[in-house]
């Protein structure tokens, strides 16, 4: 029998959802709150999408900051992680004298955005290979030291990488970057609601991410955190009516006509997430992820890193001897949802996420399927 908490979601009967990390999933509670916000907005759009909206969004920003330990004057909500990244990449000054370093485990569109920006400015773009399984902090820092000549302007890394699900050593990478005179830009798409966020402690220059992946929030809602030095510099990638605002929240509050409801619902999502945490449900998800890891390892699926670098509820595995297409097809036919795709070197990666609607039966079904695929 599925966990009682699974009733909070509208997943199709019989579907095994182990791909929570790709898109997240709004709960019934948050969906109900969203409906109320939409009805209120449609009752008087001129009022509710006008000046009143800014104060509503400012209140939600403050709530997110309180929940995750961020400074309100350095934080704003935005459309999603991609829009936050685009704002940073479009706003930081790049010249032919600059060097941008990006790890190849980053989300591909982020790498491409830095590559395009560097190309336009004539800046040097260096992509660092991170072999899987991840060999650890010392190996990564040695690779950076050996493959990056001279000063660095910006280094892009993730708190938790997307495809390979690596919990990267952010503080150590930031320290190395500062030692080369540069700034670390952090992708925290898989942070809020999953792992602790501490940009001040880590010494990073900017953080972008999402709130709809690990919170039961409506899609899409992102966030942006900036150091004091960047607060006045970073502007939305789209030039809208509030682009010139000196106020960070206002600057990102109106990217043209948009649906503000996902941002307005973050309070309901945070409250429900806090409730799950207090009940120990998220701890149970972590235990289930550990169980899944040991179960799949027994089938010769190789974790992408050692235990120290594994996120609590997101795990990725290297599957040898099979293709991405073969695994995708088998999962689809069995109504099991998990992310499958190529790793940085073309290896077949399988990524799973454990959430409060999952149980050991889901892991057993996945394991049985992989047994057929890996050992026909």
């Amino acid at each position: 029998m599925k966990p009682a908490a699974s009733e909070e979601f509208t997943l199709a009967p019989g579907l095994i959802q182990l791909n929570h990390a790709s898109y997240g999933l709004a709960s019934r509670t948050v969906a109900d709150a969203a409906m109320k916000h939409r009805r209120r907005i449609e009752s008087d759009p001129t009022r509710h999408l006008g000046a009143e909206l800014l104060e509503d969004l400012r209140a939600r920003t403050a709530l997110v900051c309180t929940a995750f330990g961020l400074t309100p004057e350095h934080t704003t909500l935005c459309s999603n992680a991609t829009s936050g990244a685009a704002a940073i990449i479009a706003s930081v000054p790049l010249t032919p004298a600059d060097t941008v370093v990006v790890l190849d485990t980053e989300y591909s569109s982020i790498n491409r955005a830095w590559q395009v920006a560097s190309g336009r400015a004539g800046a040097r773009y260096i992509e660092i290979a991170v072999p899987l399984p991840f060999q650890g902090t010392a190996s990564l820092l040695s690779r950076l030291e050996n493959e990056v000549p001279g000063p660095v302007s910006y280094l892009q890394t993730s708190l938790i990488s997307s495809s390979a699900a690596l919990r990267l050593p952010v503080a150590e990478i930031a320290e190395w970057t500062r030692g080369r005179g540069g700034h670390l830009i952090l992708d925290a798409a898989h942070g809020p609601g999953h792992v602790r966020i501490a940009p001040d402690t880590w010494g990073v220059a900017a953080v972008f991410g999402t709130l709809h992946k690990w919170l039961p929030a409506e899609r899409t809602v992102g966030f942006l955190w900036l150091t004091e030095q960047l607060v006045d510099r970073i502007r939305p990638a789209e030039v809208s009516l509030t682009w010139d605002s000196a106020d960070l929240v206002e600057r990102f509050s109106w990217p043209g006509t948009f649906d503000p409801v996902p941002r307005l619902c973050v309070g309901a999502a945070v409250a429900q997430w806090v409730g799950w945490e207090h009940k120990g449900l998220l701890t149970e998800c972590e235990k289930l992820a550990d169980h899944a890891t040991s179960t799949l390892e027994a089938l010769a699926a190789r974790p992408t890193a050692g235990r120290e670098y594994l996120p609590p509820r997101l795990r990725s595995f290297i599957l040898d001897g099979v293709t991405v297409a073969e695994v995708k097809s088998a999962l689809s036919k069995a109504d099991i949802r998990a992310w499958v795709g190529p790793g940085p070197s073309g290896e077949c990666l399988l990524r799973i996420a454990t959430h409060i609607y999952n149980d050991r039966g889901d892991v057993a079904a996945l394991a049985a399927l992989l047994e057929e695929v890996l050992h026909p």
Side-chain angles (χ1 to χ4, degrees), residues 324-336:
V324 169
E326 288 170 343
V327 180
K328 278 188 174 181
S329 176
L331 289 171
S332 178
K333 291 176 182 176
D335 270 348
I336 299 176

Side-chain angles (χ1 to χ4, degrees), residues 52-126:
E52 180 184 281
L53 180 60
L54 174 59
E55 294 314 308
D56 286 341
L57 295 177
R58 196 183 303 283
R60 296 330 187 269
T61 303
L63 186 152
V64 168
C65 289
T66 298
F68 300 112
L70 302 173
T71 45
E73 60 270 24
H74 294 170
T75 308
T76 184
L77 300 181
C78 59
S79 297
N80 49 47
T82 302
S83 65
I88 294 169
I89 296 169
S91 299
V92 296
L94 288 177
T95 71
D98 289 308
T99 295
V100 173
V101 179
V102 182
L103 306 185
D104 73 349
T105 47
E106 295 302 290
Y107 196 66
S108 58
S109 67
I110 303 302
N111 292 38
R112 183 62 178 142
W114 279 111
Q115 188 178 39
V116 169
S118 298
R120 286 173 176 167
R124 175 185 288 178
Y125 173 87
I126 300 176

